[in-house]
Amino acid sequence: MQTIDIEAVKSYLLKLQENICRELAKEDGEKDFIKDEWERDQGGGGLTRVMENGAVIEKGGVNYSYVEGTNMPASATAHRPELAGRGFKAMGVSLVIHPKNPHAPTSHMNVRFFIAEKEGAEPIWWFGGGFDLTPYYANKEDCQFWHQVAKDACNPFGEECYPKYKKWCDDYFYIKHRDEHRGIGGLFFDDVNTESTSWNFEQCFAFMRSVGDHFIKAYQPILNKRKDLPYTEQERDFQLYRRGRYVEFNLVWDRGTLFGLQTGGRTESILMSLPSAVSWRYNWQPEANSREAELTDYYLKPKDWLS
């Protein structure tokens, strides 16, 4: 029987949150992330860190949460009936950064651990997470750099690791009712445990750490390069319009949002991913061959950015 070191996972997640907030506050240069500790009546709690109206980051949230309970929510047992009747612990760090500048992309990262236990039975556990990028005015250089760092995170774990979890990311961050992808992808993984990978607990934990540690290596250089570029009101309007797609995915399709709400999680922390400014337009279409059209015509089509 493997030793499952839950305390080591908790410790890593809190350090990861602190490191990411420190580095992103440096990029903003004006504001820091406020801290908001909270407790969950049914067990657990967390630390939510938020920045609003900074010089660079218009809205950013980096949330650590730890929740536990005696019964699994319907969103989990519908796909995993073997979890019914088990107590559970779930913990993770989840973040979304919405920069003010339309040329600086929105980014998302999440790493998490889940374990369900029942007396007299082997525990069921897995790691999940990933990171993805949502540009508004995209360029190949950033896309290639983002995916190279994602590949670097995967390289120690086998040649099949990056293409497998890149494809999963492309498939997951897909807005079905719009028939378009949310961004240019990255990595997405779930159910990473001994049964699915042949890795032991320590190897699975090491993979989650690699993904978590590589996020800031991937995002900070892009943010630094784009945050001070000049932009027009038209470009700002397009950014707000495209943020609407981000909101639609998170509220309609994102499994993490649903799990958090169904487990009685803290609503403010779950919905911190939503931007502070966003717009929708009825049946709006970009001008043909414009940079706005280029986003959906070229960049939001899954492709091998490293070929």
Side-chain angles (χ1 to χ4, degrees), residues 178-225:
R178 296 287 189 181
D179 189 26
E180 66 182 38
H181 292 263
R182 190 175 80 173
I184 59 112
L187 300 172
F188 180 88
F189 64 97
D190 207 359
D191 301 319
V192 167
N193 55 21
T194 302
E195 288 73 27
S196 65
T197 64
S198 77
W199 302 336
N200 61 25
F201 173 83
E202 283 302 324
Q203 291 169 309
C204 293
F205 184 21
F207 175 63
M208 185 198 79
R209 294 198 306 270
S210 185
V211 173
D213 293 342
H214 276 80
F215 164 76
I216 201 69
K217 298 176 184 179
Y219 186 57
Q220 191 170 17
I222 295 173
L223 181 62
N224 180 268
K225 187 184 299 183

Side-chain angles (χ1 to χ4, degrees), residues 6-243:
I6 295 176
E7 292 305 314
V9 178
K10 284 185 185 178
S11 176
Y12 167 74
L13 293 171
L14 284 167
K15 289 176 182 176
L16 177 67
Q17 181 192 39
E18 175 62 32
N19 177 60
I20 289 173
C21 288
R22 182 179 63 251
E23 295 304 313
L24 290 176
K26 285 181 187 177
E27 285 302 323
D28 188 83
E30 182 178 286
K31 288 200 171 183
D32 202 351
F33 288 83
I34 64 168
K35 296 182 179 181
D36 184 13
E37 291 191 64
W38 51 276
E39 293 184 0
R40 178 173 174 269
D41 292 339
Q42 303 94 322
L47 173 61
T48 295
R49 301 189 64 175
V50 176
M51 181 190 294
E52 292 186 283
N53 299 315
V56 173
I57 298 172
E58 184 171 9
K59 172 76 176 295
V62 186
N63 187 50
Y64 163 78
S65 64
Y66 168 80
V67 301
E68 59 184 29
T70 56
N71 290 297
M72 294 295 301
S75 62
T77 56
H79 300 286
R80 300 285 295 264
E82 68 272 21
L83 298 177
R86 288 175 175 258
F88 73 93
K89 297 181 178 71
M91 62 203 72
V93 167
S94 180
L95 68 84
V96 176
I97 305 299
H98 294 287
K100 185 178 297 182
N101 194 310
H103 297 284
T106 287
S107 67
H108 160 259
M109 189 277 292
N110 170 262
V111 285
R112 58 191 181 273
F113 175 68
F114 177 89
I115 185 167
E117 298 173 286
K118 185 179 181 180
E119 189 174 351
E122 286 283 312
I124 299 172
W125 59 269
W126 66 80
F127 290 93
F131 52 68
D132 62 282
L133 196 70
T134 304
Y136 306 104
Y137 289 91
N139 60 80
K140 291 182 182 179
E141 180 184 350
D142 289 352
C143 297
Q144 291 167 343
F145 176 79
W146 179 261
H147 278 275
Q148 183 59 59
V149 179
K151 187 174 185 297
D152 293 344
C154 293
N155 279 343
F157 303 91
E159 291 183 3
E160 75 289 344
C161 187
Y162 168 72
K164 175 181 178 180
Y165 295 130
K166 177 200 179 295
K167 183 180 185 306
W168 202 342
C169 187
D170 290 336
D171 293 343
Y172 180 76
F173 291 106
Y174 172 69
I175 308 171
K176 297 181 180 69
H177 61 275
R178 296 287 189 181
D179 189 26
E180 66 182 38
H181 292 263
R182 190 175 80 173
I184 59 112
L187 300 172
F188 180 88
F189 64 97
D190 207 359
D191 301 319
V192 167
N193 55 21
T194 302
E195 288 73 27
S196 65
T197 64
S198 77
W199 302 336
N200 61 25
F201 173 83
E202 283 302 324
Q203 291 169 309
C204 293
F205 184 21
F207 175 63
M208 185 198 79
R209 294 198 306 270
S210 185
V211 173
D213 293 342
H214 276 80
F215 164 76
I216 201 69
K217 298 176 184 179
Y219 186 57
Q220 191 170 17
I222 295 173
L223 181 62
N224 180 268
K225 187 184 299 183
R226 307 298 171 191
K227 66 183 182 181
D228 294 321
L229 292 178
Y231 62 89
T232 66
E233 281 302 311
Q234 178 183 337
E235 290 169 334
R236 171 66 171 170
D237 288 344
F238 182 67
Q239 177 197 40
L240 298 184
Y241 168 72
R242 288 302 308 180
R243 280 180 178 175

